[in-house]
Amino acid sequence: ASTSSSASAQSPLSTLYSSYVDSTPKKLKVIDAFLVFLMLSGIIQFVYCALITNFPFNSFIAGFASTVGQFVLAASLRIQANPENGQTFPKVSPERIELIG
Amino acid sequence: MSTSSKARMTGPFSDESGIGFETWKNEKNWRAHGQPTCCRAAHSRLSLRPYHLFHLPSTTIDVQTTSDDCTLRRYLEQDLSPIMSAATSTKGAGAGAGASTRAAYRLPTLSAEANKNVLSLLRLIIIFLIAGAAVSSRLFAVVRHESIIHEFDPWFNFRATKVLTTDGFYRFWNWFDATAWYPLGRAAGGTAYPGLMVTSGAIYNLFHSLNIPVDIRNICVLLAPAFSGLTAWATYMFTAAMKDDAAGLLAAAFIGIAPGYISRSVAGSYDNEAIAIFLLMMTFYLWIKALKDGSALWGVATALFYFYMVAAWGGYVFITNMIPLHVLVLILMGRFSSRLYVSYSSFYAVGTLASMQVPFVGFQPVRTSEHMAALGVFGLLQLVAFVELVRSHVPSKQFKLLLVGFVVLVATLAFGALVALTYAGYVAPWTGRFYSLWDTAYAKKHIPIIASVSEHQPPAWPAFFFDLEMLIFLFPVGVFLLFKELRDEHVFVIIYAVMASYFAGVMVRLMLTLTPVVCVSAAIAMSTLLQTYLDPKEPTPLEGRADADDDSVAKSTRSTTRKAAEVASTPKENTVAGSDSEISRPASPVFGASSFSSSKFGVFGLDSRFFVTIYSLLLLLVFVLHCTFVTSTAYSSPSVVLASRNADGSQHIIDDFREAYYWLRQNTASDAKVMSWWDYGYQISGMADRPTLVDNNTWNNTHIATVGKAMCSSEEKSYPILRKHDVDYVLIIFGGLLGFSGDDINKYLWMIRIAQGVWPDEVREADYFTPRGEYKIDDGASKTMKDSLLYKMSYYRFNDLFGGRPGMDRVRQTQGPTKSPELEYLDEAFTSENWIVRIYEVKKPDALGRDLPGVKGFEGGKRRKRAFALPATKGK
């Protein structure tokens, strides 16, 4: 989704990329990879539903919603474990940040 | 800041270090902001709020970081520590130099632990007393009459609960009720909210596993009072999260006895609202908690209680729209934070999936307009969070602008797509019941069955005063006080107040959702008032003017008050002179006493304290009296039995309903179909245990219109309808003899309107009025009216009671018809003692093929013709 926002300028995109690669801890990158996987999985399911059939609609909802739910929960973990957000989350134990960040 | 940190280490109650009032202020400041003042500048860089607009420091991020235990502790420190330090200070109050030590009165000094223990003991006692008051004020109907289910809807819930407890959960889940909506039946397991039944079923099983064999009826009757105690507790928690424990206890006391809530939760009112308000407050409390901590765990807990709420009450749509609205407003205020993302995303992802497990809800959360706000805000939140992430990596200012533009563009596109999908039919538009909340004339025009329910009418002003008494005056004050501080959770209460006020203004029934927020808001206002006036701290004279004020301090308090007005006119000097105190003063306005205590404003002397306190106490006492009076007189009548007073004051019970229903139960075949207006459907199937054509679950408007048509047509036209639907008995309510105003003649116009909506050619409302447009029942009534089935059934043999003269209808306050109507297709089967319930038997077709009026003429008025071999199973 970042490509659409940076259609006008090329240099900010490379800045973004290099900044991300440089400043993100490795464990957060692992979460990010998982997030990308979940997003791809959700997109495939949605495309299947849109193009072929939504017949067992509850099955589609189950698969798609669990992908979305897992995505937001993993994203929440990423936010909480991000050392930059330490002050935003007073209740998050340092153990969790140690574990991930 | 050295003294501040030192105070933190030694604790606020130790006086060995000689910490004075200034230190206490620093301490409090640190507590309120979650970190020392010096760190605030560095910290504020991280937050994204426009300070120039709201003048708020970063308190929204850091407040209330402590647990509930610590909330109490902080409360204790705020209110008691200055007094205690004043009491033990060596400088003393008399010196006048140490202005902070002046107090209007002394409080007993206790150690910190003793204080804490006393406070938690008091809190526990108060909560239990409130729960006791909440339960016992709901027992009027049970004590006066008997332990019985009231009203109409609860009778279905009761019957479903009996199915659950006797047949088991799975039979209940798949329960097909073949006796309701006679030819059609009703898949009751999939068309009811099962939360209430499952709750009482669980309680039933718990009691029986403990060898306490309680009847399921008693559990159903007493469920609402029991849950009202829990509601008081949940309201306490919610309000304590908004302000402090004192406000929480007041709110709990308010909602424990507020008539607006009692009206739907007296003992015997076994309706969904009985547990729904508890779940509503619990969900809101957990949401606030999740938002404060940014905790996914509490977000999921919110979702689980939301699931329980969805299973319990159709009003869950209120939550589905309130929480997203809160999130949206926070985003628009520039208060987006990662905590918002975590709490809402976890709530929505789990809550939506969970809510779809209720069969009655099904795919609605992804298919209907009522749920689209939650989905839209969820999508918007993902966008905003993503853009925040990108923004943290990109320095360019123009690029940031581009990102914001990206969010706005995508949000607009998504909204447009939603509108397009709604128009294309993929997303269902608002249902009539919800749509009528926005277009208040909609129901009356298009869906008369919604408009016909009395509790769907807009309330008058007296209803607000009647249900909420003085709380309605304190309500706006509380909202104003919340505006003054405006933390993230306060925004929630403000939105809730606005929305609930509007909805309660549109529909009487929604007074129920207004009551909790009124209690919360009024409690905040009242506790602020009391804390301001109970605070023994006297205002501090200015440092620079200390010499001038020294004398006046020693003088009487009245002169001091006058001096304070003078001092108040020179505020600039203070801010310039006291730069030290300027730093330590809380930058944000804080509630009540604490916001005034550090300045020259405040309450002087004991007399003003005394008067305001006594007056508030008086208001509270009158509130209790009012609530008890209203509950006792207005909301505690079982409606199944009608109570009246004899001249000597003794009670006279009119029990016609149960008399008639039990007659049906014992004297008719078990599969005899009873036709009545839909109001009585649940009661007939609950008490008489007979199949009905229509009931209070008004899911099939055409079927109801069929009954309405049968009621308002002439006998010749009604008889085929009755025969086609296998109707054996027709039951009507007639209050003309006793003056019972809720009878079928008064509901007649709605029957006509509903029938007219389906058969406009055959039923016309205008036919039932006189040429002058009057709705009459005496001899001046229109011919259609006189011929109609309901009219004939109502006034059949009415004149016999008055010796053949035209009877007096005590509801319409006119005479009945001079000539008693004749019935040719129906037989009177039963009329109750006070003529409230009249039951007619539908005649079988003549065995010789003659039409029934002809048969009647042949018999010459004598109805007995049972010599034929008719299936005379209906033992009369």
Side-chain angles (χ1 to χ4, degrees):
Chain A
S2 65
T3 50
S4 61
S5 63
S6 61
S8 59
Q10 188 61 36
S11 61
L13 195 62
S14 55
T15 325
L16 174 65
Y17 179 73
S18 56
S19 166
Y20 173 78
V21 169
D22 293 343
S23 67
T24 312
K26 196 168 250 175
K27 284 177 180 173
L28 287 190
K29 281 181 186 162
V30 173
I31 298 184
D32 285 338
F34 183 53
L35 289 178
V36 170
F37 163 73
L38 285 173
M39 205 159 75
L40 288 177
S41 160
I43 288 172
I44 291 169
Q45 290 180 51
F46 188 81
V47 166
Y48 178 87
C49 170
L51 293 186
I52 301 175
T53 176
N54 69 350
F55 162 57
F57 191 57
N58 49 1
S59 305
F60 166 68
I61 292 286
F64 188 70
S66 49
T67 324
V68 172
Q70 221 171 342
F71 180 88
V72 293
L73 289 177
S76 300
L77 178 67
R78 187 199 191 281
I79 288 175
Q80 289 186 342
N82 195 343
E84 287 176 19
N85 290 336
Q87 276 163 320
T88 320
F89 293 98
K91 287 268 180 85
V92 172
S93 63
E95 284 84 0
R96 189 184 300 177
I97 297 170
E98 285 292 315
L99 192 73
I100 303 296
Chain B
M1 286 312 297
S2 62
T3 49
S4 168
S5 52
K6 190 177 171 187
R8 229 182 307 140
M9 277 183 282
T10 52
F13 297 102
S14 62
D15 278 305
E16 297 84 17
S17 54
I19 299 157
F21 182 50
E22 285 302 309
T23 327
W24 172 74
K25 278 199 298 185
N26 283 335
E27 165 75 12
K28 190 183 56 162
N29 189 30
W30 177 77
R31 284 279 175 191
H33 293 265
Q35 62 189 122
T37 354
C38 56
C39 297
R40 212 189 302 147
H43 180 76
S44 62
R45 198 162 38 82
L46 292 170
S47 68
L48 303 159
R49 252 173 301 115
Y51 299 101
H52 58 282
L53 273 182
F54 301 105
H55 298 290
L56 276 169
S58 50
T59 48
T60 45
I61 291 177
D62 291 315
V63 273
Q64 303 262 334
T65 59
T66 45
S67 68
D68 290 328
D69 191 37
C70 293
T71 316
L72 177 69
R73 183 178 151 81
R74 195 174 57 244
Y75 167 69
L76 189 147
E77 287 161 9
Q78 275 188 3
D79 280 3
L80 295 185
S81 55
I83 301 127
M84 290 194 311
S85 67
T88 53
S89 171
T90 49
K91 289 183 178 179
S100 62
T101 58
R102 294 170 63 248
Y105 58 92
R106 298 278 176 99
L107 283 176
T109 350
L110 291 171
S111 71
E113 285 73 24
N115 249 318
K116 193 180 166 185
N117 291 339
V118 164
L119 280 187
S120 43
L121 177 68
L122 278 178
R123 191 173 60 162
L124 202 67
I125 291 173
I126 291 171
I127 289 267
F128 270 102
L129 285 179
I130 287 171
V135 170
S136 52
S137 69
R138 284 164 168 81
L139 299 181
F140 280 108
V142 166
V143 172
R144 279 189 203 144
H145 302 285
E146 58 193 293
S147 173
I148 188 187
I149 307 285
H150 301 178
E151 303 289 340
F152 303 108
D153 283 5
W155 278 99
F156 169 76
N157 300 329
F158 178 49
R159 206 159 66 92
T161 312
K162 278 200 285 192
V163 170
L164 174 68
T165 48
T166 52
D167 294 352
F169 181 72
Y170 290 101
R171 295 289 298 276
F172 166 71
W173 203 248
N174 300 312
W175 177 35
F176 185 82
D177 186 5
T179 62
W181 296 86
Y182 162 61
L184 308 167
R186 174 186 173 191
T191 56
Y193 290 102
L196 185 71
M197 300 95 183
V198 171
T199 305
S200 39
I203 295 173
Y204 177 85
N205 286 332
L206 174 74
F207 276 155
H208 280 248
S209 69
L210 296 173
N211 290 323
I212 308 173
V214 189
D215 186 22
I216 185 65
R217 173 176 55 85
N218 282 319
I219 289 174
C220 292
V221 165
L222 295 175
L223 188 77
F227 266 84
S228 71
L230 287 176
T231 309
W233 173 73
T235 312
Y236 159 73
M237 299 291 276
F238 181 78
T239 318
M242 289 298 151
K243 188 168 175 264
D244 51 25
D245 278 348
L249 290 174
L250 264 178
F254 286 160
I255 201 155
I257 55 172
Y261 175 41
I262 284 189
S263 64
R264 313 289 309 204
S265 66
V266 289
S269 175
Y270 182 56
D271 214 342
N272 291 332
E273 290 93 331
I275 63 170
I277 296 301
F278 162 65
L279 296 172
L280 185 86
M281 290 316 282
M282 205 59 205
T283 313
F284 285 163
Y285 163 65
L286 288 172
W287 161 247
I288 293 300
K289 196 169 171 56
L291 178 65
K292 269 183 179 175
D293 298 349
S295 157
L297 177 69
W298 289 113
V300 172
T302 315
L304 290 181
F305 265 89
Y306 170 70
F307 168 56
Y308 193 2
M309 174 77 181
V310 173
W313 194 35
Y316 77 90
V317 177
F318 185 61
I319 300 183
T320 322
N321 288 297
M322 269 299 301
I323 292 179
L325 190 62
H326 182 212
V327 174
L328 183 67
V329 169
L330 286 182
I331 291 176
L332 291 180
M333 288 171 83
R335 290 183 175 210
F336 171 80
S337 66
S338 309
R339 289 172 299 125
L340 192 64
Y341 177 86
V342 172
S343 49
Y344 184 73
S345 296
S346 53
F347 158 70
Y348 182 77
V350 179
T352 307
L353 212 50
S355 70
M356 288 161 87
Q357 309 309 312
V358 179
F360 196 23
V361 175
F363 292 129
Q364 279 182 34
V366 292
R367 283 265 169 89
T368 59
S369 290
E370 286 95 21
H371 300 79
M372 281 304 131
L375 181 62
V377 168
F378 180 69
L380 181 68
L381 209 57
Q382 306 303 320
L383 273 179
V384 173
F386 179 70
V387 166
E388 289 294 330
L389 180 70
V390 174
R391 186 192 275 198
S392 70
H393 285 291
V394 178
S396 160
K397 207 169 189 179
Q398 283 85 7
F399 195 58
K400 281 179 188 169
L401 209 66
L402 206 68
L403 284 175
V404 174
F406 168 69
V407 169
V408 172
L409 183 76
V410 173
T412 320
L413 280 181
F415 186 72
L418 183 64
V419 172
L421 281 176
T422 310
Y423 271 101
Y426 290 106
V427 174
W430 293 81
T431 56
R433 229 166 260 264
F434 290 111
Y435 191 73
S436 61
L437 287 174
W438 304 112
D439 184 357
T440 47
Y442 180 81
K444 206 159 218 167
K445 258 185 274 174
H446 302 286
I447 322 168
I449 202 157
I450 292 178
S452 74
V453 181
S454 67
E455 57 185 20
H456 290 174
Q457 308 300 323
W461 271 110
F464 286 96
F465 302 130
F466 191 69
D467 274 357
L468 299 163
E469 216 243 339
M470 61 128 186
L471 300 186
I472 204 71
F473 302 112
L474 291 174
F475 174 45
V477 181
V479 173
F480 169 75
L481 287 172
L482 290 172
F483 252 118
K484 265 179 71 179
E485 192 176 357
L486 209 63
R487 300 200 305 247
D488 283 356
E489 58 266 30
H490 295 167
V491 176
F492 183 79
V493 179
I494 291 164
I495 297 170
Y496 183 9
V498 172
M499 300 304 285
S501 304
Y502 171 77
F503 290 135
V506 173
M507 216 182 251
V508 180
R509 187 186 181 182
L510 295 177
M511 189 79 86
L512 185 70
T513 50
L514 176 69
T515 306
V517 73
V518 169
C519 291
V520 169
S521 185
I524 286 170
M526 183 54 96
S527 78
T528 307
L529 180 77
L530 284 177
Q531 275 171 10
T532 310
Y533 279 89
L534 284 176
D535 189 12
K537 236 183 304 96
E538 289 272 310
T540 323
L542 294 174
E543 287 295 323
R545 289 172 157 253
D547 50 345
D549 278 351
D550 258 354
D551 299 328
S552 61
V553 167
K555 279 180 191 168
S556 74
T557 50
R558 282 202 190 86
S559 67
T560 324
T561 321
R562 249 179 277 126
K563 275 281 189 286
E566 294 168 22
V567 173
S569 60
T570 59
K572 290 242 170 95
E573 289 176 23
N574 180 37
T575 50
V576 175
S579 61
D580 192 16
S581 67
E582 183 63 24
I583 292 170
S584 61
R585 184 181 300 160
S588 71
V590 188
F591 279 115
S594 48
S595 67
F596 302 114
S597 58
S598 61
S599 72
K600 59 216 168 290
F601 302 108
V603 187
F604 286 88
L606 276 175
D607 47 358
S608 49
R609 283 185 171 83
F610 180 76
F611 283 128
V612 173
T613 312
I614 289 296
Y615 180 68
S616 317
L617 213 60
L618 211 64
L619 273 183
L620 292 172
L621 285 176
V622 171
F623 175 69
V624 173
L625 287 180
H626 174 86
C627 291
T628 315
F629 169 75
V630 166
T631 310
S632 161
T633 53
Y635 293 139
S636 294
S637 47
S639 83
V640 173
V641 292
L642 309 171
S644 66
R645 295 251 166 228
N646 292 329
D648 60 347
S650 62
Q651 200 173 40
H652 181 235
I653 298 285
I654 295 151
D655 206 0
D656 280 33
F657 287 103
R658 283 194 294 183
E659 185 190 348
Y661 293 145
Y662 275 70
W663 181 87
L664 270 179
R665 191 188 188 99
Q666 292 178 337
N667 298 298
T668 61
S670 63
D671 62 343
K673 286 86 191 170
V674 182
M675 185 183 94
S676 73
W677 190 234
W678 63 264
D679 293 13
Y680 313 103
Y682 280 159
Q683 285 194 346
I684 292 172
S685 56
M687 288 194 250
D689 197 20
R690 292 292 172 269
T692 54
L693 260 68
V694 292
D695 64 29
N696 304 45
N697 175 307
T698 53
W699 64 276
N700 190 330
N701 189 38
T702 316
H703 209 49
I704 292 176
T706 308
V707 172
K709 189 185 171 193
M711 290 286 198
C712 62
S713 305
S714 63
E715 269 191 283
E716 307 87 74
K717 284 185 190 164
S718 304
Y719 188 66
I721 302 175
L722 299 179
R723 291 296 304 165
K724 276 181 197 165
H725 289 88
D726 295 346
V727 175
D728 297 298
Y729 293 92
V730 181
L731 179 145
I732 61 157
I733 308 294
F734 175 66
L737 183 66
L738 205 71
F740 175 65
S741 60
D743 68 352
D744 278 349
I745 293 284
N746 277 2
K747 291 173 184 168
Y748 200 17
L749 280 178
W750 287 109
M751 301 186 201
I752 295 163
R753 277 172 202 157
I754 290 168
Q756 187 185 9
V758 178
W759 291 280
D761 301 334
E762 295 170 62
V763 181
R764 269 190 309 277
E765 191 183 344
D767 292 345
Y768 295 83
F769 292 106
T770 62
R772 293 172 60 193
E774 294 162 316
Y775 182 64
K776 289 183 114 171
I777 47 107
D778 56 7
D779 289 338
S782 73
K783 187 172 179 308
T784 321
M785 181 78 175
K786 280 183 180 168
D787 283 345
S788 66
L789 187 68
L790 179 67
Y791 180 85
K792 282 185 171 180
M793 286 194 293
S794 292
Y795 293 102
Y796 182 65
R797 292 202 309 115
F798 185 49
N799 292 350
D800 292 2
L801 283 174
F802 297 83
R805 291 190 305 280
M808 185 68 186
D809 188 319
R810 288 174 63 186
V811 174
R812 265 66 59 177
Q813 291 297 329
T814 53
Q815 282 191 335
T818 316
K819 188 170 167 293
S820 197
E822 294 287 324
L823 282 167
E824 280 145 354
Y825 294 87
L826 299 172
D827 268 337
E828 184 182 8
F830 179 82
T831 295
S832 64
E833 185 186 354
N834 297 294
W835 283 51
I836 287 184
V837 185
R838 310 196 68 180
I839 301 171
Y840 291 85
E841 185 176 6
V842 181
K843 284 186 192 170
K844 295 282 174 285
D846 184 42
L848 300 178
R850 298 171 293 179
D851 63 335
L852 288 172
V855 175
K856 191 171 184 190
F858 183 76
E859 296 288 324
K862 291 290 176 195
R863 294 183 286 133
R864 282 278 158 207
K865 51 188 286 292
R866 283 288 158 82
F868 295 99
L870 282 174
T873 48
K874 316 284 178 287
K876 285 173 57 177

